[in-house]
Amino acid sequence: MTVNRLQGGQLDRAKTLNFSFDGTHYQGFEGDTLASALLANGVRLMGRSFKYHRPRGPLTAGSEEPNALVELREGAFKEPNTRATTVELFDGLVAHSQNRWPSLAFDALGINDRLSSFLSAGFYYKTFMWPKKFWEKVYEPAIRRAAGLGRLSMQPDPDQYDKGFLYADLLIVGAGPAGLAAALVAGRAGRSVILADEDFRLGGRLNAERFTLDDAPASAWVDTTVAELNGLANVRLMTRTTVLGAFDHGVYAALERNTDHLAAAAPNQTRQTLWRIYADHTLLAAGATERPIAFENNDRPGIMLAGAMRAYANRWASAVGQRVAVFSNNDDGLRTAADLTAAGVTVVAVIDTRQGDAVVDTRGKLGLSAIQVRRSDGRLEWIDCDALGVSGGWNPNVQLTCHQRGRPVWDSGLHAFVAGDELPVGMSVAGAAAGKMSTAAALADGAYRASQALGGSLELPKLPEAEDLACAPDATLRVDHGAGRAWIDQQNDVTVKDVKLSHQEGFISVEHLKRYTTLGMATDQGKTANVLGLAVMAEMTGKGIADTGTTMFRPPYTPVAIGAWAGRSRDGEFKPTRLTPSHRWAVEHKATFVEVGNWLRAQWFTQPGETHWRQSVDREVINVRQNVGVCDVTTLGKIDVQGADAAQFLNKVYANGFVKLAVGRTRYGLMLREDGIAMDDGTAARLADDHFVVTTTTANAVAVYRHMEFVRQCLCPGMDVQLISTTEAWAQYAVAGPQSRALLQRIVDPDYDLSNEGFPFMACANITVCGGLRARLFRISFSGEMAYELAVPTRYGDALMRRLMDVGRDLGVMPYGTEALGVLRIEKGHAAGNELNGTTTALNLGLGRMVAQAKDSIGRVLANREVLAADTRRLVGFVPLDGNDSLLGGMHLMGADAVANAANDQGWLTSACYSPHVGSSIALGYLENAESRLGEHMRAVSPLEGLDVKVKVVSAHFVDPEGERLRG
């Protein structure tokens, strides 16, 4: 039953919408918000406050709402902390109140209100400290259960989000009278314009007023103007779009809500789009926000801002109550009383502070029932009413002017902060946001500011005649009466007493006041509360508000769903995924994949009958040792180094020498940082006098290329050398095992001799395969077996993998993944990313002799520092004494009888795996004085995993320590 529905309004009464709130079913019309429809149905109680759980109704009619926060929808689509004042009503909408138990009308945590004397500002800094053990077991769990407002569904968000980019000569923020006038000026001049407004209907306050423009309803002028702007191809109108922040270089973030007003989005339809807008000029025409007046018990449901009450009546045809009073310090409150009367609402009293009258207290349990008025002669009287409109003046919405550390300044005429001179580059402010509070002034200012922003020569349009009444509030922002609480920040339950307490305890700075009391830290960011709090602090310090100052405003302007910030970057699209050339083939052959940086690599290949990953990995390792395996190693960084000084350049970046490397040969290289710490290892193959191919580890491919470019451009600018990353240009496969040569001889064209004499270990060459396809072949081994790496242009990578598998079937060829690759390299004692962790040196790796002292190279000097030379830790191997025990990377090494603590730590395990060759777990690790301790028994411990394993120190080379296999 719509007990408070009025006539008129901007509603489509032919479209009745059914919705529910806390399980009760109601009806509204298209054009309603959830708040306006509930008010029309006589529902004033819509929420509970954060700390004291006091009953609350809507205070405003817009995005500044602190009280009427609800949960929308159900299941995975649930949206907590949604402002009922901005939710567009749709058929089937389901909403629930939040922050209450067991019900909104009876909230058990309302007991907090009775305990308010113990829960004043800063109480959490002074309590829950003793006994100390209670914090984790009692205090913290209890606080976490009581804290927060809405509750997440704890299910993945099923909605889709996106991001986009836009450009405009002029971005206009706000589509009220100033914004529409500015859009007309710029649009008619042919400039590209974006007009963004958070409302679903353009017009701003013009939609909420009864006055006329050119003797016609203001909404008629809005409709005509919007129709003209829609007809201009250079103008983009963006409703339901909030400009969230102003960033460097004329960049603005804006959130467009595409489907929030629909019962359900169409398949693949984006719920919200986060736009990055690049604008040469920006006009802030965001209007102003009305502020309340603080008096005792000014937070009951039914008490709201007078301008909001007028908006509900004029735009949404909803009365807040049957008997309404108005309390104001300016003429705008009188306008509310006049509009309500014209709409048929009974106005029982108008209390004007300029006449010496004031509201000092209220009554009501779950809603307002009466107000107490103090007359100018000191007389007190109670007036029965169920709604009270309060107007304490208007605050220009200057938040975006402050996002680059600009400070607003106090305007004593408006009793409000206005934009200062330090604005984001290209921004100007117009209309009510600039303190032009009449409609005529806002229209004229918007048109003028748009013309000035775009050069000053644009033709100004003929503007309609409009009201031109100045807003002249008096300085009354609070009423001092009894001992009751007067509310300032209604969401966070900050009162006048809290601000006084902050002053009493020395938290006088506005930034300290904010954090001590939580003033302005709620979801509305203090849009209706900050000035009231500052006024109280100014009164306590004896300073004016101008001297007291204000806190900084930060983006976002209104709360944003985390999903919108992420856009499409979630789940499988969280980051770009790079696929190896053999990926499709690997999918066909049941590969399990692992993320390696941005790459998706085959981890192992499961064959029928294998139920555990270890079975697959062991099979692949054994097959490489006995037959031949193929692994896609395209992800290794590949850098072409060309030029007359290419060899000298590599001599500079690598610790070991490369000048004398012969053409057709490959050399293992160790790269150091400036501080002498090992940066990366890899190979450099000399294909010609002036052409090398450098390989890097997958993890450091980008870092090494960046480092080499820095050296080329900054340290060696005179060298004739050029670099280019070719990682994506070549598909590369490791072919390893005793049958690797036999397999390659079946695809390498017969002109090339692959015998041990014709192509020995560490050889390299440009060759052709499969009847003329250009390729590169390197005889290098990461497994300890006879092995090669074969590279072809990437487009042929998939075909090459299929050909190798086809022609090598009788040789026992199998693919192997990164797990088997890791086992093979640990068995051979090769260092990899776990060993090159950014703290280890060439000495630690056992490669100290590779750092050539007879040449200059990056890191050579600092590698000889005493502190590094004194580090006796070396890379060695470890096996458990009990073959059934497992070793883990990260375990710490202790003496056989030592207590497991940091003082007795002698090193750590860097890499560990199960070795089918050894028949047990094996590991590599750094150990103090390792070379003299082979055969010693120690313990590898992991307090985190609760493991304590007896181990034996062995050589790091578990397979073929003499290197005979790889040279075969």
Side-chain angles (χ1 to χ4, degrees), residues 879-887 914 920-922 948-951:
V879 294
L881 296 183
D882 184 341
N884 294 318
D885 286 337
S886 295
L887 300 179
Y914 176 81
S920 70
S921 284
I922 62 173
D948 193 324
V949 180
K950 295 179 180 179
V951 297

Side-chain angles (χ1 to χ4, degrees), residues 327-355:
F327 177 34
S328 178
N329 69 358
N330 63 86
D331 289 339
D332 202 67
L334 305 183
R335 179 182 294 168
T336 295
D339 283 7
L340 293 176
T341 300
V345 178
T346 301
V347 178
V348 298
V350 176
I351 301 97
D352 192 333
T353 61
R354 294 170 296 178
Q355 303 299 320

Side-chain angles (χ1 to χ4, degrees), residues 154-426:
M154 303 310 294
Q155 300 178 46
D157 186 347
D159 285 314
Q160 297 186 37
Y161 302 86
D162 207 347
K163 296 182 180 180
F165 300 83
L166 294 172
Y167 166 79
D169 292 328
L170 180 64
L171 167 65
I172 303 172
V173 183
L180 290 173
L184 281 177
V185 171
R188 288 173 178 175
R191 302 299 183 90
S192 61
V193 178
I194 294 175
L195 177 61
D197 195 280
E198 63 184 358
D199 204 340
F200 58 91
R201 179 177 172 84
L202 302 182
R205 283 299 303 182
L206 295 178
N207 293 319
E209 305 295 351
R210 282 180 171 263
F211 55 68
T212 60
L213 299 181
D214 279 345
D215 298 325
S219 59
W221 181 83
V222 172
D223 292 341
T224 301
T225 302
V226 170
E228 178 180 347
L229 294 173
N230 263 322
L232 298 176
N234 55 304
V235 177
R236 183 181 186 124
L237 303 181
M238 300 181 70
T239 57
R240 304 183 178 93
T241 302
T242 303
V243 177
L244 303 169
F247 302 94
D248 293 341
H249 313 300
V251 176
Y252 292 80
L255 184 72
E256 183 176 18
R257 296 172 295 280
N258 305 308
T259 66
D260 285 1
H261 61 292
L262 304 176
N268 299 318
Q269 188 175 11
T270 299
R271 177 195 172 197
Q272 295 176 352
T273 303
L274 184 65
W275 293 101
R276 177 181 291 192
I277 302 176
Y278 295 81
D280 287 342
H281 305 279
T282 301
L283 185 66
L284 179 63
T289 297
E290 196 171 18
R291 62 185 178 231
I293 299 173
F295 55 90
E296 289 183 34
N297 296 307
N298 60 329
D299 65 330
R300 301 189 193 281
I303 302 176
M304 69 169 55
L305 296 173
M309 187 175 287
R310 188 164 76 244
Y312 284 119
N314 293 337
R315 177 176 175 180
W316 290 292
S318 298
V320 181
Q322 299 292 319
R323 291 172 54 83
V324 177
V326 175
F327 177 34
S328 178
N329 69 358
N330 63 86
D331 289 339
D332 202 67
L334 305 183
R335 179 182 294 168
T336 295
D339 283 7
L340 293 176
T341 300
V345 178
T346 301
V347 178
V348 298
V350 176
I351 301 97
D352 192 333
T353 61
R354 294 170 296 178
Q355 303 299 320
D357 298 337
V359 177
V360 296
D361 201 356
T362 68
R363 287 177 182 161
K365 185 178 181 182
L366 297 178
L368 181 67
S369 61
I371 60 173
Q372 187 178 39
V373 177
R374 184 180 63 202
R375 297 300 183 183
S376 59
D377 59 3
R379 177 171 47 90
L380 297 175
E381 65 173 300
W382 284 97
I383 300 174
D384 291 335
C385 60
D386 54 3
L388 174 65
V390 181
S391 179
W394 293 77
N395 294 325
N397 291 327
V398 298
Q399 284 84 350
L400 264 65
T401 69
C402 305
H403 285 179
Q404 294 181 28
R405 302 200 66 79
R407 290 268 183 186
V409 296
W410 183 253
D411 186 317
S412 57
L414 290 174
H415 294 290
F417 285 98
V418 297
D421 295 330
E422 189 177 347
L423 299 175
V425 176

Side-chain angles (χ1 to χ4, degrees), residues 547-586:
D547 295 326
T548 302
T550 184
T551 54
M552 296 293 292
F553 298 104
R554 300 181 178 89
Y557 179 71
T558 54
V560 180
I562 292 177
W565 294 118
R568 297 185 182 184
S569 300
R570 55 176 289 183
D571 302 325
E573 297 180 351
F574 177 71
K575 60 182 179 181
T577 300
R578 303 169 74 180
L579 304 181
T580 61
S582 65
H583 181 81
R584 185 186 303 174
W585 183 91

Side-chain angles (χ1 to χ4, degrees), residues 664-857:
R665 300 294 293 171
T666 305
R667 180 166 293 170
Y668 177 80
L670 179 65
M671 192 175 293
L672 304 181
R673 299 188 321 220
E674 291 277 8
D675 60 359
I677 299 297
M679 177 181 180
D680 195 62
D681 69 341
T683 63
R686 193 166 194 172
L687 298 177
D689 285 336
D690 58 355
H691 184 191
F692 290 78
V693 174
V694 169
T695 64
T696 75
T697 58
T698 298
N700 287 329
V702 174
V704 169
Y705 181 66
R706 185 185 297 124
H707 171 67
M708 292 174 70
E709 272 292 352
F710 171 77
V711 175
R712 184 184 73 84
Q713 295 182 38
C714 301
L715 303 184
C716 305
M719 282 191 179
D720 178 9
V721 63
Q722 299 296 325
L723 312 175
I724 186 169
S725 172
T726 59
T727 302
E728 293 87 357
W730 293 87
Q732 194 151 315
Y733 294 94
V735 183
Q739 298 292 340
S740 58
R741 179 186 292 124
L743 175 59
L744 288 178
Q745 286 174 331
R746 297 182 180 185
I747 66 166
V748 172
D749 291 342
D751 294 340
Y752 303 97
D753 180 9
L754 298 188
S755 69
N756 211 39
E757 295 75 19
F759 204 79
F761 179 61
M762 300 302 280
C764 65
N766 286 310
I767 63 169
T768 60
V769 298
C770 302
L773 175 63
R774 66 189 179 100
R776 292 171 174 173
L777 185 64
F778 312 89
R779 176 121 182 240
I780 52 181
S781 177
F782 198 59
S783 60
E785 300 295 328
M786 181 171 65
Y788 303 78
E789 289 189 12
L790 176 63
V792 297
T794 300
R795 64 180 297 186
Y796 300 104
D798 180 78
L800 179 62
M801 185 67 170
R802 296 177 190 275
R803 178 66 65 89
L804 289 168
M805 292 296 109
D806 183 45
V807 302
R809 189 173 294 112
D810 63 315
L811 299 175
V813 66
M814 288 183 184
Y816 65 98
T818 57
E819 282 296 323
L821 185 70
V823 173
L824 291 166
R825 72 94 181 168
I826 294 173
E827 288 182 338
K828 187 56 182 174
H830 277 304
N834 291 17
E835 288 70 44
L836 300 166
N837 63 4
T839 66
T840 52
T841 66
L843 288 172
N844 295 147
L845 292 163
L847 303 176
R849 296 176 63 184
M850 285 186 65
V851 183
Q853 301 299 319
K855 72 179 183 76
D856 181 30
S857 62

Side-chain angles (χ1 to χ4, degrees), residues 43 87 89 93 134 174 193 197 221 310 344 389 553 598 628 635 647-648 650 697 731 781 803 881 895 912:
V43 178
V87 175
L89 199 66
L93 182 149
F134 272 36
V193 178
D197 195 280
W221 181 83
R310 188 164 76 244
F553 298 104
N598 285 338
V628 59
T635 62
Q648 289 289 352
L650 293 181
T697 58
S781 177
R803 178 66 65 89
L881 296 183

